[in-house]
Amino acid sequence: MSSDHWAAIGGFVKEAVRSFNPKTVSVARAYLAAASTFVHWTWQTAGLDIDAGVFTHHNVARFVNQVMSSKSDWYQYHTAQRLNRLVTHLTGRKTSQLDGPDSRAAHPYSQEELLEFRSSAVRRSNAARRGNARVLLGLGAGAGLSAAEIALAKVGDVRAEARDLQVNVRGRHPRLVPVRLEWQETLRLGLNDRTEDDWAFAGYRIPQYPARVIHQFHLDDRTESTPQPTRLRATWLVQLLQTGAPINVVLNLAGLAEAVSLSPYIKALPPTSPGDYRDTITGRVVRP
């Protein structure tokens, strides 16, 4: 958005969000980001005046469908949720509760998206942010750690073993996970020149919710795309299933107790034909 355009809409947007009385700075930033993009669209694209009349549930639905279609389901959901709350606050008009995306569904990243995240890590504005972006990719896409597990990891938990890296995972499901080859150098660069007792993902942690540090990283640097830990883990799990690793090994490495937990990731596997595995099925080829 140009400075001239922000000068035209900024005062209105900031007053709308201020009147909503957000409880924290990060919440205020999230509402400002959603409201500024929305109001700019209603003014420049839809041709509406800059006033409270733009805040309607119909306009929010149009905005999300037309402008946010390339974003993730969860991004669209949270944006619509924030904007509809502002509609209700500013106009008194209520809307029905939005249904969020299916939290059980797995949404692995494509190779193109992963390449963009690699590039984004290099473009970050300072060394600390570049390090965090690389650690997030290395531990998430490289070893399948959850957001909470990434937040608990120390630099010393990543160890060289023969030619590879392994992660000693902390938390409710402690385990040892080898890092995928394509993410090992990324992780090494992210941890470079830091002591073993340092947090692998740097930043202040709230004791009750340490994973908040990753969410805050996204809020503090909106100029670059930040991958979601759940989708990085899904990417890693789907790739692990594609290797043909035994289910008990997959469960152990993922920190899961029951095979049913793998159902969302199995559904995300690319389609295959039984004919492609005929030799394995008939026993001509025996996997180790």
PDB file of all heavy atoms in Angstrom, residues 12 35 38-43 47-60 87 90-91 93:
ATOM      1  N   PHE A  12      -8.937   6.380   9.778  1.00  0.00           N
ATOM      2  CA  PHE A  12     -10.196   5.659   9.955  1.00  0.00           C
ATOM      3  C   PHE A  12      -9.955   4.241  10.456  1.00  0.00           C
ATOM      4  O   PHE A  12     -10.631   3.766  11.381  1.00  0.00           O
ATOM      5  CB  PHE A  12     -10.961   5.633   8.635  1.00  0.00           C
ATOM      6  CG  PHE A  12     -12.125   4.687   8.627  1.00  0.00           C
ATOM      7  CD1 PHE A  12     -13.257   4.939   9.397  1.00  0.00           C
ATOM      8  CD2 PHE A  12     -12.090   3.533   7.862  1.00  0.00           C
ATOM      9  CE1 PHE A  12     -14.327   4.056   9.402  1.00  0.00           C
ATOM     10  CE2 PHE A  12     -13.144   2.652   7.859  1.00  0.00           C
ATOM     11  CZ  PHE A  12     -14.273   2.912   8.627  1.00  0.00           C
ATOM     12  N   ALA A  35      -7.945  -5.119   8.928  1.00  0.00           N
ATOM     13  CA  ALA A  35      -8.811  -3.981   8.629  1.00  0.00           C
ATOM     14  C   ALA A  35      -8.218  -3.071   7.553  1.00  0.00           C
ATOM     15  O   ALA A  35      -8.943  -2.571   6.687  1.00  0.00           O
ATOM     16  CB  ALA A  35      -9.083  -3.182   9.905  1.00  0.00           C
ATOM     17  N   PHE A  38      -8.592  -4.721   4.160  1.00  0.00           N
ATOM     18  CA  PHE A  38     -10.013  -4.747   3.808  1.00  0.00           C
ATOM     19  C   PHE A  38     -10.507  -3.361   3.388  1.00  0.00           C
ATOM     20  O   PHE A  38     -11.144  -3.206   2.333  1.00  0.00           O
ATOM     21  CB  PHE A  38     -10.823  -5.262   4.998  1.00  0.00           C
ATOM     22  CG  PHE A  38     -12.312  -5.107   4.853  1.00  0.00           C
ATOM     23  CD1 PHE A  38     -13.020  -5.903   3.966  1.00  0.00           C
ATOM     24  CD2 PHE A  38     -13.005  -4.173   5.613  1.00  0.00           C
ATOM     25  CE1 PHE A  38     -14.401  -5.767   3.831  1.00  0.00           C
ATOM     26  CE2 PHE A  38     -14.379  -4.032   5.490  1.00  0.00           C
ATOM     27  CZ  PHE A  38     -15.075  -4.832   4.590  1.00  0.00           C
ATOM     28  N   VAL A  39     -10.240  -2.336   4.192  1.00  0.00           N
ATOM     29  CA  VAL A  39     -10.722  -0.984   3.874  1.00  0.00           C
ATOM     30  C   VAL A  39     -10.080  -0.472   2.591  1.00  0.00           C
ATOM     31  O   VAL A  39     -10.733   0.174   1.758  1.00  0.00           O
ATOM     32  CB  VAL A  39     -10.438  -0.026   5.053  1.00  0.00           C
ATOM     33  CG1 VAL A  39     -10.754   1.420   4.667  1.00  0.00           C
ATOM     34  CG2 VAL A  39     -11.258  -0.429   6.276  1.00  0.00           C
ATOM     35  N   HIS A  40      -8.787  -0.768   2.394  1.00  0.00           N
ATOM     36  CA  HIS A  40      -8.128  -0.354   1.154  1.00  0.00           C
ATOM     37  C   HIS A  40      -8.808  -0.996  -0.053  1.00  0.00           C
ATOM     38  O   HIS A  40      -9.011  -0.347  -1.093  1.00  0.00           O
ATOM     39  CB  HIS A  40      -6.649  -0.742   1.212  1.00  0.00           C
ATOM     40  CG  HIS A  40      -5.853  -0.241   0.048  1.00  0.00           C
ATOM     41  ND1 HIS A  40      -5.460  -1.057  -0.987  1.00  0.00           N
ATOM     42  CD2 HIS A  40      -5.395   1.003  -0.251  1.00  0.00           C
ATOM     43  CE1 HIS A  40      -4.780  -0.348  -1.873  1.00  0.00           C
ATOM     44  NE2 HIS A  40      -4.727   0.907  -1.454  1.00  0.00           N
ATOM     45  N   TRP A  41      -9.176  -2.264   0.076  1.00  0.00           N
ATOM     46  CA  TRP A  41      -9.863  -2.949  -1.019  1.00  0.00           C
ATOM     47  C   TRP A  41     -11.230  -2.330  -1.281  1.00  0.00           C
ATOM     48  O   TRP A  41     -11.603  -2.098  -2.439  1.00  0.00           O
ATOM     49  CB  TRP A  41     -10.010  -4.426  -0.689  1.00  0.00           C
ATOM     50  CG  TRP A  41     -10.852  -5.182  -1.685  1.00  0.00           C
ATOM     51  CD1 TRP A  41     -10.475  -5.665  -2.900  1.00  0.00           C
ATOM     52  CD2 TRP A  41     -12.238  -5.519  -1.523  1.00  0.00           C
ATOM     53  NE1 TRP A  41     -11.527  -6.291  -3.516  1.00  0.00           N
ATOM     54  CE2 TRP A  41     -12.625  -6.222  -2.694  1.00  0.00           C
ATOM     55  CE3 TRP A  41     -13.177  -5.316  -0.520  1.00  0.00           C
ATOM     56  CZ2 TRP A  41     -13.915  -6.699  -2.882  1.00  0.00           C
ATOM     57  CZ3 TRP A  41     -14.462  -5.794  -0.698  1.00  0.00           C
ATOM     58  CH2 TRP A  41     -14.822  -6.473  -1.866  1.00  0.00           C
ATOM     59  N   THR A  42     -12.003  -2.066  -0.223  1.00  0.00           N
ATOM     60  CA  THR A  42     -13.342  -1.493  -0.424  1.00  0.00           C
ATOM     61  C   THR A  42     -13.263  -0.116  -1.074  1.00  0.00           C
ATOM     62  O   THR A  42     -14.136   0.258  -1.865  1.00  0.00           O
ATOM     63  CB  THR A  42     -14.118  -1.372   0.896  1.00  0.00           C
ATOM     64  OG1 THR A  42     -13.411  -0.491   1.796  1.00  0.00           O
ATOM     65  CG2 THR A  42     -14.306  -2.716   1.561  1.00  0.00           C
ATOM     66  N   TRP A  43     -12.225   0.618  -0.778  1.00  0.00           N
ATOM     67  CA  TRP A  43     -12.056   1.971  -1.323  1.00  0.00           C
ATOM     68  C   TRP A  43     -11.534   1.945  -2.758  1.00  0.00           C
ATOM     69  O   TRP A  43     -12.093   2.571  -3.642  1.00  0.00           O
ATOM     70  CB  TRP A  43     -11.109   2.748  -0.406  1.00  0.00           C
ATOM     71  CG  TRP A  43     -10.731   4.114  -0.870  1.00  0.00           C
ATOM     72  CD1 TRP A  43     -11.572   5.091  -1.341  1.00  0.00           C
ATOM     73  CD2 TRP A  43      -9.409   4.661  -0.932  1.00  0.00           C
ATOM     74  NE1 TRP A  43     -10.852   6.210  -1.672  1.00  0.00           N
ATOM     75  CE2 TRP A  43      -9.522   5.982  -1.427  1.00  0.00           C
ATOM     76  CE3 TRP A  43      -8.149   4.174  -0.589  1.00  0.00           C
ATOM     77  CZ2 TRP A  43      -8.415   6.807  -1.606  1.00  0.00           C
ATOM     78  CZ3 TRP A  43      -7.061   5.008  -0.748  1.00  0.00           C
ATOM     79  CH2 TRP A  43      -7.182   6.300  -1.257  1.00  0.00           C
ATOM     80  N   GLY A  47     -14.824   0.690  -4.739  1.00  0.00           N
ATOM     81  CA  GLY A  47     -15.253   2.064  -4.959  1.00  0.00           C
ATOM     82  C   GLY A  47     -16.155   2.624  -3.883  1.00  0.00           C
ATOM     83  O   GLY A  47     -16.966   3.531  -4.157  1.00  0.00           O
ATOM     84  N   LEU A  48     -16.033   2.131  -2.653  1.00  0.00           N
ATOM     85  CA  LEU A  48     -16.890   2.595  -1.564  1.00  0.00           C
ATOM     86  C   LEU A  48     -16.220   3.735  -0.803  1.00  0.00           C
ATOM     87  O   LEU A  48     -15.002   3.920  -0.855  1.00  0.00           O
ATOM     88  CB  LEU A  48     -17.192   1.438  -0.616  1.00  0.00           C
ATOM     89  CG  LEU A  48     -17.855   0.211  -1.252  1.00  0.00           C
ATOM     90  CD1 LEU A  48     -18.054  -0.886  -0.213  1.00  0.00           C
ATOM     91  CD2 LEU A  48     -19.190   0.587  -1.895  1.00  0.00           C
ATOM     92  N   ASP A  49     -17.032   4.496  -0.083  1.00  0.00           N
ATOM     93  CA  ASP A  49     -16.502   5.589   0.723  1.00  0.00           C
ATOM     94  C   ASP A  49     -15.762   5.037   1.936  1.00  0.00           C
ATOM     95  O   ASP A  49     -16.004   3.903   2.377  1.00  0.00           O
ATOM     96  CB  ASP A  49     -17.636   6.502   1.195  1.00  0.00           C
ATOM     97  CG  ASP A  49     -18.297   7.243   0.037  1.00  0.00           C
ATOM     98  OD1 ASP A  49     -17.587   7.490  -0.974  1.00  0.00           O
ATOM     99  OD2 ASP A  49     -19.498   7.548   0.137  1.00  0.00           O
ATOM    100  N   ILE A  50     -14.885   5.870   2.491  1.00  0.00           N
ATOM    101  CA  ILE A  50     -14.125   5.462   3.677  1.00  0.00           C
ATOM    102  C   ILE A  50     -14.931   5.842   4.916  1.00  0.00           C
ATOM    103  O   ILE A  50     -14.757   6.917   5.515  1.00  0.00           O
ATOM    104  CB  ILE A  50     -12.733   6.139   3.701  1.00  0.00           C
ATOM    105  CG1 ILE A  50     -11.982   5.857   2.404  1.00  0.00           C
ATOM    106  CG2 ILE A  50     -11.919   5.639   4.897  1.00  0.00           C
ATOM    107  CD1 ILE A  50     -10.681   6.635   2.267  1.00  0.00           C
ATOM    108  N   ASP A  51     -15.839   4.970   5.291  1.00  0.00           N
ATOM    109  CA  ASP A  51     -16.628   5.181   6.501  1.00  0.00           C
ATOM    110  C   ASP A  51     -17.125   3.831   7.003  1.00  0.00           C
ATOM    111  O   ASP A  51     -16.865   2.790   6.395  1.00  0.00           O
ATOM    112  CB  ASP A  51     -17.796   6.145   6.248  1.00  0.00           C
ATOM    113  CG  ASP A  51     -18.736   5.678   5.147  1.00  0.00           C
ATOM    114  OD1 ASP A  51     -18.945   4.442   5.012  1.00  0.00           O
ATOM    115  OD2 ASP A  51     -19.263   6.517   4.418  1.00  0.00           O
ATOM    116  N   ALA A  52     -17.832   3.858   8.124  1.00  0.00           N
ATOM    117  CA  ALA A  52     -18.266   2.609   8.765  1.00  0.00           C
ATOM    118  C   ALA A  52     -19.193   1.791   7.873  1.00  0.00           C
ATOM    119  O   ALA A  52     -19.372   0.587   8.101  1.00  0.00           O
ATOM    120  CB  ALA A  52     -18.950   2.921  10.090  1.00  0.00           C
ATOM    121  N   GLY A  53     -19.754   2.410   6.845  1.00  0.00           N
ATOM    122  CA  GLY A  53     -20.657   1.688   5.953  1.00  0.00           C
ATOM    123  C   GLY A  53     -19.995   0.566   5.174  1.00  0.00           C
ATOM    124  O   GLY A  53     -20.678  -0.330   4.672  1.00  0.00           O
ATOM    125  N   VAL A  54     -18.646   0.592   5.081  1.00  0.00           N
ATOM    126  CA  VAL A  54     -17.967  -0.489   4.348  1.00  0.00           C
ATOM    127  C   VAL A  54     -17.976  -1.785   5.149  1.00  0.00           C
ATOM    128  O   VAL A  54     -17.811  -2.873   4.581  1.00  0.00           O
ATOM    129  CB  VAL A  54     -16.509  -0.111   4.007  1.00  0.00           C
ATOM    130  CG1 VAL A  54     -16.481   1.170   3.194  1.00  0.00           C
ATOM    131  CG2 VAL A  54     -15.631   0.002   5.236  1.00  0.00           C
ATOM    132  N   PHE A  55     -18.163  -1.679   6.472  1.00  0.00           N
ATOM    133  CA  PHE A  55     -18.112  -2.864   7.319  1.00  0.00           C
ATOM    134  C   PHE A  55     -19.465  -3.563   7.316  1.00  0.00           C
ATOM    135  O   PHE A  55     -20.339  -3.302   8.144  1.00  0.00           O
ATOM    136  CB  PHE A  55     -17.701  -2.485   8.749  1.00  0.00           C
ATOM    137  CG  PHE A  55     -16.220  -2.277   8.902  1.00  0.00           C
ATOM    138  CD1 PHE A  55     -15.679  -1.005   8.819  1.00  0.00           C
ATOM    139  CD2 PHE A  55     -15.368  -3.350   9.124  1.00  0.00           C
ATOM    140  CE1 PHE A  55     -14.310  -0.808   8.952  1.00  0.00           C
ATOM    141  CE2 PHE A  55     -14.003  -3.165   9.260  1.00  0.00           C
ATOM    142  CZ  PHE A  55     -13.469  -1.888   9.157  1.00  0.00           C
ATOM    143  N   THR A  56     -19.634  -4.456   6.351  1.00  0.00           N
ATOM    144  CA  THR A  56     -20.809  -5.318   6.282  1.00  0.00           C
ATOM    145  C   THR A  56     -20.324  -6.754   6.116  1.00  0.00           C
ATOM    146  O   THR A  56     -19.226  -6.996   5.586  1.00  0.00           O
ATOM    147  CB  THR A  56     -21.724  -4.960   5.095  1.00  0.00           C
ATOM    148  OG1 THR A  56     -21.057  -5.302   3.863  1.00  0.00           O
ATOM    149  CG2 THR A  56     -22.083  -3.485   5.091  1.00  0.00           C
ATOM    150  N   HIS A  57     -21.126  -7.697   6.549  1.00  0.00           N
ATOM    151  CA  HIS A  57     -20.754  -9.103   6.412  1.00  0.00           C
ATOM    152  C   HIS A  57     -20.666  -9.504   4.939  1.00  0.00           C
ATOM    153  O   HIS A  57     -19.832 -10.343   4.569  1.00  0.00           O
ATOM    154  CB  HIS A  57     -21.753  -9.987   7.155  1.00  0.00           C
ATOM    155  CG  HIS A  57     -21.808  -9.712   8.629  1.00  0.00           C
ATOM    156  ND1 HIS A  57     -20.701  -9.814   9.435  1.00  0.00           N
ATOM    157  CD2 HIS A  57     -22.831  -9.324   9.436  1.00  0.00           C
ATOM    158  CE1 HIS A  57     -21.045  -9.507  10.686  1.00  0.00           C
ATOM    159  NE2 HIS A  57     -22.323  -9.206  10.708  1.00  0.00           N
ATOM    160  N   HIS A  58     -21.513  -8.882   4.105  1.00  0.00           N
ATOM    161  CA  HIS A  58     -21.459  -9.169   2.672  1.00  0.00           C
ATOM    162  C   HIS A  58     -20.122  -8.737   2.083  1.00  0.00           C
ATOM    163  O   HIS A  58     -19.496  -9.472   1.302  1.00  0.00           O
ATOM    164  CB  HIS A  58     -22.603  -8.460   1.956  1.00  0.00           C
ATOM    165  CG  HIS A  58     -22.571  -8.603   0.455  1.00  0.00           C
ATOM    166  ND1 HIS A  58     -22.812  -9.796  -0.185  1.00  0.00           N
ATOM    167  CD2 HIS A  58     -22.288  -7.687  -0.517  1.00  0.00           C
ATOM    168  CE1 HIS A  58     -22.703  -9.620  -1.486  1.00  0.00           C
ATOM    169  NE2 HIS A  58     -22.378  -8.369  -1.721  1.00  0.00           N
ATOM    170  N   ASN A  59     -19.656  -7.530   2.440  1.00  0.00           N
ATOM    171  CA  ASN A  59     -18.372  -7.043   1.933  1.00  0.00           C
ATOM    172  C   ASN A  59     -17.212  -7.904   2.432  1.00  0.00           C
ATOM    173  O   ASN A  59     -16.244  -8.134   1.704  1.00  0.00           O
ATOM    174  CB  ASN A  59     -18.153  -5.591   2.342  1.00  0.00           C
ATOM    175  CG  ASN A  59     -18.966  -4.624   1.507  1.00  0.00           C
ATOM    176  OD1 ASN A  59     -19.453  -4.973   0.433  1.00  0.00           O
ATOM    177  ND2 ASN A  59     -19.135  -3.405   2.005  1.00  0.00           N
ATOM    178  N   VAL A  60     -17.311  -8.355   3.677  1.00  0.00           N
ATOM    179  CA  VAL A  60     -16.259  -9.228   4.217  1.00  0.00           C
ATOM    180  C   VAL A  60     -16.189 -10.515   3.403  1.00  0.00           C
ATOM    181  O   VAL A  60     -15.094 -10.979   3.038  1.00  0.00           O
ATOM    182  CB  VAL A  60     -16.510  -9.531   5.705  1.00  0.00           C
ATOM    183  CG1 VAL A  60     -15.572 -10.641   6.192  1.00  0.00           C
ATOM    184  CG2 VAL A  60     -16.316  -8.275   6.544  1.00  0.00           C
ATOM    185  N   VAL A  87     -17.318  -5.777  12.191  1.00  0.00           N
ATOM    186  CA  VAL A  87     -18.647  -5.429  11.673  1.00  0.00           C
ATOM    187  C   VAL A  87     -19.655  -5.369  12.817  1.00  0.00           C
ATOM    188  O   VAL A  87     -20.417  -4.400  12.957  1.00  0.00           O
ATOM    189  CB  VAL A  87     -19.111  -6.448  10.610  1.00  0.00           C
ATOM    190  CG1 VAL A  87     -20.579  -6.220  10.255  1.00  0.00           C
ATOM    191  CG2 VAL A  87     -18.246  -6.345   9.356  1.00  0.00           C
ATOM    192  N   LEU A  90     -18.921  -2.328  15.127  1.00  0.00           N
ATOM    193  CA  LEU A  90     -19.174  -0.996  14.570  1.00  0.00           C
ATOM    194  C   LEU A  90     -20.622  -0.772  14.162  1.00  0.00           C
ATOM    195  O   LEU A  90     -21.090   0.377  14.154  1.00  0.00           O
ATOM    196  CB  LEU A  90     -18.269  -0.777  13.350  1.00  0.00           C
ATOM    197  CG  LEU A  90     -16.762  -0.700  13.642  1.00  0.00           C
ATOM    198  CD1 LEU A  90     -15.970  -0.744  12.343  1.00  0.00           C
ATOM    199  CD2 LEU A  90     -16.419   0.552  14.434  1.00  0.00           C
ATOM    200  N   THR A  91     -21.344  -1.838  13.837  1.00  0.00           N
ATOM    201  CA  THR A  91     -22.706  -1.676  13.315  1.00  0.00           C
ATOM    202  C   THR A  91     -23.774  -2.347  14.160  1.00  0.00           C
ATOM    203  O   THR A  91     -24.961  -2.052  13.994  1.00  0.00           O
ATOM    204  CB  THR A  91     -22.805  -2.256  11.884  1.00  0.00           C
ATOM    205  OG1 THR A  91     -22.672  -3.687  11.942  1.00  0.00           O
ATOM    206  CG2 THR A  91     -21.707  -1.685  10.994  1.00  0.00           C
ATOM    207  N   ARG A  93     -24.606  -5.368  13.821  1.00  0.00           N
ATOM    208  CA  ARG A  93     -25.152  -6.480  13.040  1.00  0.00           C
ATOM    209  C   ARG A  93     -24.330  -7.733  13.312  1.00  0.00           C
ATOM    210  O   ARG A  93     -23.120  -7.757  13.091  1.00  0.00           O
ATOM    211  CB  ARG A  93     -25.154  -6.147  11.546  1.00  0.00           C
ATOM    212  CG  ARG A  93     -26.095  -5.032  11.164  1.00  0.00           C
ATOM    213  CD  ARG A  93     -26.231  -4.942   9.652  1.00  0.00           C
ATOM    214  NE  ARG A  93     -24.997  -4.489   9.034  1.00  0.00           N
ATOM    215  CZ  ARG A  93     -24.692  -3.218   8.796  1.00  0.00           C
ATOM    216  NH1 ARG A  93     -25.552  -2.253   9.164  1.00  0.00           N
ATOM    217  NH2 ARG A  93     -23.562  -2.885   8.214  1.00  0.00           N
TER     218      ARG A  93
END
